[in-house]
Amino acid sequence: MKVKTPSKLEKILAAGHLAVTSECGPPRGSDMEKISEKAELIKDYVDAINITDNQTSVTRMCSLAACIRLKLMGLEPVLQMVTRDRNRIALQSDILGAAAFDIHNILCLSGDHQSFGDCAQGQNVHDLDSMQLAQTVRLMRDEAKFLGGGDISRPPQMFVGAAANPFADPFEIRVPRLAKKIAAGVEFIQTQCIYNMEKFELWLQIAGDRGLLDNVYILAGVTPFKSAGMAKYMKNRVPGIEVPDELVKRMSDTPKEKQAEEGVKICIEQIQHLKEIKGVHGFHVMAIEWEEMVPEIVKASGLYPRPSVE
Amino acid sequence: MRLQYPSNIQIILVPCTGKVDVIHMLHAFEKGADGVYVVGCMEGDCHFNSGNLRARKRVEQVRKILDTINIGGERVQMYNLSSSEGLRFTQFAIEMNERILKLGPNPIKRAADKAA
Amino acid sequence: MIVADRKPVEEIIEEVKDHDKILILGCNECVTVCEAGGKKEVAVLASVLRMHFLNQGQTVRIDERTLQRQCDHEYLEEVRDIIDQYNAVVSLACGVGVQFMAEKYHATPVYPGVNTVFMGVTEERGLWTERCQGCGECILARTGGICPISRCAKRVLNGPCGGSTKGSCEIHKDVVCAWQLIVERLKALDRFDDYEKLSALKDWSTDRAGGPRKVVREDLQDESKDT
């Protein structure tokens, strides 16, 4: 695929390298050092760092401010943006704000429902949905136009991403949904955490058969288990995540003090396996509140050192 | 069986306790009743399937209302028995009568007397 | 219909506690069907209020009346000749009726006796669920007759979102995922291919966002009024 933006992530993918991304959640406060510390831990092991946007609807420092911080550190941020909290005026405005700091990657999401967070009594906006947000970014970038039709001076240069969950229900629409996102202008996908390899491969195969994988880069999402408890929680409590029984058993059968180690081992095995699958263009390593494990996972998976691009 | 039950109880016959509405019970209290209890068939044995279950829910509603306006939710009660249990009918009557005697008159009645 | 739910008695008592001539005014339409504000509910509330005030030692007149509708002039006019007998009205109509009453009888305080909740259906007795939010530009033709605006917690027009699990919404397993229903319905209609049509950005100016709305039908308006 032709490179359309100055995004380093896009260039790495276009050059045929397996990309690696990870993510940081901004703090529940205004201390920027928290962001810098997390970023320092992982910066040499990933190509870009997602900054979450009030994830699980818990109020945090804004994604844009934290992305700017990464940019000032010379790193490559992926601005996550949910449609839950902003209408189309605010979304376009924030996109321009990010563009002003040459933030070149955006991940378009709808966001968890606010009832999960600390402002369950708040309104939600959902003026646009995630696909329409992707369309909006593409319009702003490719046509240099606002939704209202006006011209944008110095339009955003953003590589447009979205999430995909091959495991959500109903399965039969998972590939059509990917097709829709691509049609909306999505250029890269970061998937939900993959534990059910068979189902993920089936999803990729159907997508490949439809020719969809020629038009989008798929970064496979992986998350190491910190404990058997976490594996069970992910299996039973997190909507849209499928954890096979044998993985839960493997974690549970491991002595407590060795579980974290086993979780990392499973994660590395998963990456090794996924690397061989056609259509996987990279990895999104989501080590939830466990960023310090990212370097080890990346190194042990043979994804280090990271390539450099122009 | 000629069983005696307290004479201050006025029996109102209905075809099924499902016929007894919240408003009937409230009106009884408004008119000065000190207590109201509804005696229905055994749960599961309603000739109309769920009349007695509806009655129970309505009694519960009235109980909440009476508590809210400080008249006393315990003045209303649902009982169930089968048609052959005359003895239980008497037991319920005695039990309810004792409870109401302990609670004293419906406060509405006193307030109304005072107002008059 | 418009679905309403009864307000707690305590709240209504608090609303009317300073009045001594109160009319409880029901409505024979939607709120009767959803058993929140019809003749029967008027009787219950009136009885409760009478007992409450009596118990407080207050002499308060509480009367009952139920109109055919409270959202039309002609029915609201029916209380014109008695309204001056009261210094408060508790309307058990939906918020529409309460407001129309307040507009019509400018000097009489009108209090809401119900919480107006949504436009919906009776799934079974005692269970009402939402179907429409009156967005002003119906898209049901495109979504197989199932509305993602009123039935999806995120009103996504290109759903489902990632939180849909086994047919349920992420907010609660008892909430059906609207997009699961849409997909099933499109399949039943042999229109599954339509799922892949991207839904364009919605014009919300016909929705609440555009400000108070009105429908004008000149063909129905009384011409003698114009001149």
Side-chain angles (χ1 to χ4, degrees):
Chain A
M1 280 174 262
K2 215 179 107 218
V3 173
K4 297 175 201 138
T5 73
S7 159
K8 176 181 155 196
L9 179 60
E10 184 182 14
K11 285 177 190 160
I12 284 173
L13 287 164
H17 301 295
L18 282 170
V20 181
T21 56
S22 185
E23 65 185 38
C24 291
R28 296 258 291 154
S30 62
D31 186 0
M32 274 294 186
E33 290 311 313
K34 293 263 159 64
I35 290 289
S36 309
E37 283 164 22
K38 285 185 181 179
E40 283 291 343
L41 277 176
I42 61 176
K43 70 178 168 60
D44 296 330
Y45 301 88
V46 299
D47 306 313
I49 300 170
N50 286 37
I51 301 287
T52 51
D53 181 5
N54 297 295
Q55 76 267 25
T56 65
S57 303
V58 173
T59 316
R60 294 170 178 274
M61 182 199 292
C62 75
S63 174
L64 177 53
C67 282
I68 292 169
R69 176 63 164 221
L70 294 193
K71 196 74 199 180
L72 296 175
M73 290 168 73
L75 305 180
E76 175 90 352
V78 179
L79 175 71
Q80 290 196 189
M81 197 175 262
V82 301
T83 58
R84 178 190 61 225
D85 309 322
R86 301 174 190 83
N87 71 358
R88 62 189 80 180
I89 301 172
L91 291 167
Q92 292 178 97
S93 170
D94 282 359
I95 288 165
L96 288 185
F101 285 87
D102 291 325
I103 289 165
H104 296 310
N105 308 288
I106 186 168
L107 192 76
C108 305
L109 306 164
S110 54
D112 293 318
H113 193 263
Q114 71 278 7
S115 56
F116 293 102
D118 62 347
C119 291
Q121 297 185 339
Q123 268 285 8
N124 57 11
V125 181
H126 298 295
D127 179 4
L128 311 184
D129 63 25
S130 59
M131 293 196 200
Q132 294 167 341
L133 176 59
Q135 284 181 303
T136 302
V137 185
R138 288 295 300 266
L139 173 80
M140 294 173 77
R141 181 188 89 189
D142 300 343
E143 319 273 333
K145 293 277 190 204
F146 286 108
L147 287 172
D151 294 326
I152 298 173
S153 58
R154 195 174 185 272
Q157 294 283 296
M158 287 180 178
F159 185 40
V160 179
N165 185 355
F167 312 103
D169 295 311
F171 182 72
E172 63 200 305
I173 61 153
R174 291 296 121 199
V175 173
R177 203 162 158 69
L178 176 67
K180 254 179 126 164
K181 290 199 172 180
I182 295 167
V186 169
E187 297 161 315
F188 73 97
I189 291 283
Q190 290 174 324
T191 76
Q192 178 62 281
C193 319
I194 302 161
Y195 298 105
N196 184 341
M197 294 295 155
E198 269 174 42
K199 201 163 181 180
F200 176 70
E201 286 173 49
L202 178 63
W203 177 74
L204 265 187
Q205 192 204 320
I206 301 170
D209 291 347
R210 280 192 55 173
L212 295 175
L213 302 180
D214 303 331
N215 303 312
V216 72
Y217 299 108
I218 307 281
L219 306 188
V222 291
T223 292
F225 296 129
K226 238 175 170 172
S227 64
M230 175 179 170
K232 282 181 204 150
Y233 181 83
M234 299 278 264
K235 180 183 173 68
N236 300 321
R237 296 291 171 132
V238 185
I241 290 193
E242 267 185 39
V243 185
D245 289 330
E246 59 265 30
L247 282 187
V248 177
K249 186 170 185 298
R250 186 169 154 190
M251 287 300 292
S252 303
D253 289 349
T254 307
K256 205 151 187 135
E257 66 282 3
K258 297 237 168 166
Q259 283 177 358
E261 196 182 310
E262 190 68 16
V264 169
K265 210 171 137 200
I266 291 172
C267 184
I268 293 162
E269 287 169 19
Q270 287 167 336
I271 295 176
Q272 298 285 16
H273 178 85
L274 290 165
K275 272 167 85 174
E276 305 305 321
I277 295 171
K278 191 173 161 280
V280 173
H281 300 94
F283 297 92
H284 183 54
V285 185
M286 294 167 274
I288 302 160
E289 292 303 314
W290 209 18
E291 288 87 354
E292 63 271 24
M293 291 317 297
V294 171
E296 186 183 326
I297 292 168
V298 172
K299 275 193 281 189
S301 308
L303 295 166
Y304 184 81
R306 300 305 312 144
S308 58
V309 286
E310 296 266 305
Chain B
M1 275 198 298
R2 291 260 169 222
L3 298 165
Q4 292 290 314
Y5 64 87
S7 59
N8 54 352
I9 291 170
Q10 187 182 339
I11 294 180
I12 298 169
L13 298 173
V14 288
C16 169
T17 52
K19 186 71 191 151
V20 181
D21 208 299
V22 169
I23 193 65
H24 300 130
M25 291 180 260
L26 290 179
H27 278 161
F29 284 104
E30 219 186 316
K31 289 183 176 161
D34 300 311
V36 173
Y37 66 102
V38 179
V39 186
C41 304
M42 295 305 286
E43 291 188 2
D45 285 345
C46 177
H47 183 65
F48 305 102
N49 292 333
S50 57
N52 48 3
L53 301 176
R54 280 170 196 256
R56 173 173 296 283
K57 286 183 185 170
R58 289 171 184 156
V59 165
E60 280 162 18
Q61 271 188 62
V62 173
R63 172 169 294 197
K64 266 186 211 148
I65 290 172
L66 294 180
D67 274 333
T68 305
I69 56 176
N70 296 315
I71 288 173
E74 59 277 41
R75 291 179 184 277
V76 64
Q77 181 70 44
M78 178 81 200
Y79 289 112
N80 299 87
L81 49 65
S82 59
S83 55
S84 60
E85 296 180 297
L87 188 60
R88 290 193 74 189
F89 183 85
T90 311
Q91 281 170 353
F92 294 153
I94 293 167
E95 183 184 305
M96 198 62 190
N97 189 49
E98 280 174 4
R99 183 195 297 183
I100 299 299
L101 285 174
K102 238 180 253 170
L103 289 168
N106 176 353
I108 300 276
K109 215 158 46 179
R110 268 180 292 178
D113 290 346
K114 228 186 263 173
Chain C
M1 70 177 147
I2 293 175
V3 177
D5 198 6
R6 297 169 303 171
K7 265 193 188 294
V9 170
E10 301 92 309
E11 194 182 328
I12 296 174
I13 289 172
E14 188 58 29
E15 286 173 354
V16 299
K17 65 179 193 306
D18 298 325
H19 301 287
D20 63 356
K21 283 174 281 207
I22 302 167
L23 176 65
I24 313 293
L25 194 63
C27 178
N28 229 349
E29 297 281 354
C30 314
V31 289
T32 295
V33 181
C34 65
E35 304 188 41
K39 197 170 175 188
K40 205 161 150 184
E41 291 75 30
V42 166
V44 169
L45 179 62
S47 175
V48 171
L49 289 181
R50 278 193 293 264
M51 284 195 275
H52 165 75
F53 285 118
L54 205 53
N55 203 14
Q56 297 285 304
Q58 287 171 260
T59 313
V60 177
R61 175 179 164 192
I62 312 266
D63 288 347
E64 305 169 22
R65 184 83 182 253
T66 297
L67 301 179
Q68 185 55 35
R69 276 201 284 282
Q70 290 189 36
C71 51
D72 270 317
H73 286 297
E74 57 187 292
Y75 299 111
L76 281 184
E77 282 300 329
E78 289 174 9
V79 293
R80 172 76 61 194
D81 52 350
I82 59 163
I83 197 76
D84 291 340
Q85 299 171 25
Y86 303 100
N87 49 28
V89 174
V90 176
S91 167
L92 297 195
C94 66
V96 176
V98 176
Q99 292 184 66
F100 217 31
M101 188 71 199
E103 288 168 38
K104 207 164 195 50
Y105 300 107
H106 205 58
T108 307
V110 183
Y111 300 98
V114 300
N115 291 318
T116 307
V117 198
F118 51 74
M119 286 185 270
V121 296
T122 310
E123 288 205 16
E124 57 188 72
R125 190 162 179 219
L127 176 64
W128 296 272
T129 53
E130 184 165 17
R131 288 295 183 280
C132 180
Q133 289 187 352
C135 73
E137 198 202 349
C138 192
I139 59 164
L140 286 171
R142 286 192 269 131
T143 56
I146 290 152
C147 175
I149 294 162
S150 56
R151 303 190 66 184
C152 164
K154 302 176 187 172
R155 63 180 191 185
V156 292
L157 293 173
N158 294 289
C161 76
S164 178
T165 305
K166 296 188 177 74
S168 293
C169 174
E170 70 180 24
I171 63 167
H172 200 280
K173 64 176 178 5
D174 293 342
V175 178
V176 181
C177 170
W179 274 96
Q180 171 88 32
L181 297 179
I182 292 170
V183 167
E184 285 166 9
R185 175 89 170 141
L186 289 176
K187 276 197 294 187
L189 297 173
D190 204 17
R191 281 178 48 199
F192 186 53
D193 289 349
D194 285 358
Y195 173 75
E196 283 196 36
K197 289 181 185 158
L198 264 176
S199 188
L201 277 64
K202 187 164 168 67
D203 175 358
W204 294 109
S205 67
T206 56
D207 184 66
R208 180 208 59 79
R213 294 165 281 176
K214 64 175 162 188
V215 173
V216 182
R217 279 278 303 276
E218 284 179 6
D219 57 323
L220 299 175
Q221 286 177 320
D222 188 352
E223 282 178 32
S224 63
K225 271 187 177 170
D226 295 344
T227 50

